[in-house]
Amino acid sequence: MVAALFTAAAAALGFAASASAQVTATGTMGSNNPPEPTMGTKINQTSMSRLVTVNSIDDFCIFGPPEPGKTIGETEGIQVAWCTQPRNNARVIPDGTLTAVHFVKTDFYVQVMALGDFTKIGLGADDYGGELDPHGATGEGNPVGGNVTSNVTGQEVHYQEWMEFLSYSQVCIRICTGENSTYPAATMCEHKLDEMGCNFVMPGDYSDKVFDTCEGEVAYPPGVYPVGESSYSSFAQRFTGTYTDNGTPVAYTVGDTATPSSVAMTPATSNCVKQTSIMANNVASGSKSGDSGPDAKATNEAAHAQAGNGGNNGAVGSTAPAFALAVTAGVVVLSAAAILL
């Protein structure tokens, strides 16, 4: 039933296999990053590289803390790249950190949903996390100088739009690799719902102790809901702040007043391939540095490590506002008052 409804809605919304316009990055590479994504770089667990690559279940990176002891919210501007394999001059996620990884490729984006013990990369045991994206409050990105690439189209491409949610036990990251006339990449990687968490913004399979690679249907953009056959509503997260007008602080509130009970739909997956774990990298928790040489590479390719134990919640949203119907025929209504977070 859900799949049938999605198929009909997808046609109306313009979801199609032809959504192949590559939304490539137009900015400069971060000063701490290599000029291009590179496999087999030296392991450096104090690296400040901020180049994230998402290629496959065994070869992906996330943004994570540069040091323990602070929350994601306190350090979002200086997060660094953590990768499953030695690459991009980045830090390496220690073996045993990840207890589940779901890798999904669609016509509009590639997405990783993972569970694990992210205290192994510096998160606090009670840090419910935060949201990272290429915009941030200043437009310079969170983290500043963060870049993303993927080769899921068959070649290495630097992409402009992405989003990540990370907590002590859950992470999800989406790189938007395509767009069409209805939904630009920025809409499919909508980044202003930072309190809603992975399950709302990137719905999918978050089962623990499962490692799989799947093809996926395209989800509705975050916060978008179909209304009837040709209209849609959007949800704007509630936010209260202040601005200064001629030296006088002025309080303001934007967004909707009720929280949606669920997402519009959870996209189906197909052609899934399961494996027992991700490829080992022979890096232990607490390691500082090392070399990724031929022997290490051969070991990595020959064995898959058994993942350790970790939690299965996190990157979860706090109670946030829900959606009020703002309907326009055939067009997503995005709140003009929404601000960059």
Side-chain angles (χ1 to χ4, degrees):
M1 177 67 174
V2 172
L5 287 173
F6 175 83
T7 300
L13 295 175
F15 289 164
S18 61
S20 59
Q22 299 307 307
V23 184
T24 56
T26 57
T28 59
M29 184 66 74
S31 59
N32 294 315
N33 303 343
E36 293 294 335
T38 307
M39 182 66 88
T41 57
K42 183 177 180 179
I43 297 172
N44 178 2
Q45 299 299 75
T46 60
S47 167
M48 296 304 290
S49 172
R50 294 169 186 165
L51 177 58
V52 158
T53 292
V54 177
N55 289 341
S56 71
I57 190 172
D58 288 312
D59 179 17
F60 70 89
C61 310
I62 61 173
F63 289 107
E67 60 185 37
K70 295 182 179 180
T71 66
I72 296 296
E74 292 173 316
T75 60
E76 59 184 9
I78 56 172
Q79 297 290 293
V80 298
W82 290 83
C83 303
T84 57
Q85 297 298 319
R87 64 150 51 249
N88 300 354
N89 298 333
R91 306 186 192 199
V92 178
I93 299 172
D95 284 338
T97 299
L98 300 166
T99 62
V101 179
H102 304 275
F103 183 91
V104 178
K105 178 185 175 183
T106 78
D107 288 335
F108 279 70
Y109 54 81
V110 60
Q111 181 169 301
V112 172
M113 301 160 286
L115 305 178
D117 179 7
F118 295 104
T119 65
K120 293 179 184 291
I121 65 169
L123 274 84
D126 58 352
D127 187 355
Y128 285 89
E131 186 266 353
L132 306 170
D133 61 69
H135 304 281
T138 65
E140 295 181 297
N142 281 327
V144 176
N147 301 99
V148 301
T149 71
S150 181
N151 67 5
V152 293
T153 61
Q155 61 182 353
E156 297 281 3
V157 179
H158 295 251
Y159 289 103
Q160 181 70 32
E161 298 294 340
W162 58 272
M163 57 181 175
E164 176 186 316
F165 288 72
L166 173 66
S167 79
Y168 71 97
S169 60
Q170 184 183 63
V171 67
C172 55
I173 183 169
R174 173 185 292 182
I175 297 178
C176 286
T177 59
E179 66 178 8
N180 64 11
S181 59
T182 304
Y183 291 122
T187 300
M188 294 305 296
C189 276
E190 169 59 50
H191 64 280
K192 293 186 286 291
L193 301 177
D194 60 334
E195 294 185 0
M196 299 304 293
C198 284
N199 296 67
F200 184 90
V201 177
M202 291 179 246
D205 185 359
Y206 287 89
S207 301
D208 200 4
K209 296 178 172 48
V210 177
F211 297 82
D212 57 13
T213 298
C214 302
E215 296 174 7
E217 291 183 319
V218 180
Y220 281 96
V224 172
Y225 292 80
V227 179
E229 295 184 358
S230 59
S231 297
Y232 324 103
S233 69
S234 66
F235 158 62
Q237 181 176 289
R238 194 168 185 80
F239 181 81
T240 299
T242 59
Y243 67 92
T244 301
D245 183 10
N246 293 324
T248 302
V250 178
Y252 67 90
T253 299
V254 298
D256 299 315
T257 58
T259 302
S261 59
S262 66
V263 295
M265 51 85 74
T266 299
T269 55
S270 60
N271 301 321
C272 294
V273 177
K274 291 188 177 183
Q275 57 193 67
T276 58
S277 68
I278 64 168
M279 187 181 295
N281 54 45
N282 302 313
V283 173
S285 179
S287 298
K288 294 299 182 183
S289 64
D291 292 311
S292 175
D295 293 340
K297 181 179 179 182
T299 302
N300 290 344
E301 293 177 345
H304 279 60
Q306 183 63 40
N309 295 321
N312 63 359
N313 59 358
V316 292
S318 57
T319 301
F323 81 103
L325 294 183
V327 179
T328 299
V331 178
V332 178
V333 182
L334 298 177
S335 172
I339 64 173
L340 294 179
L341 295 176

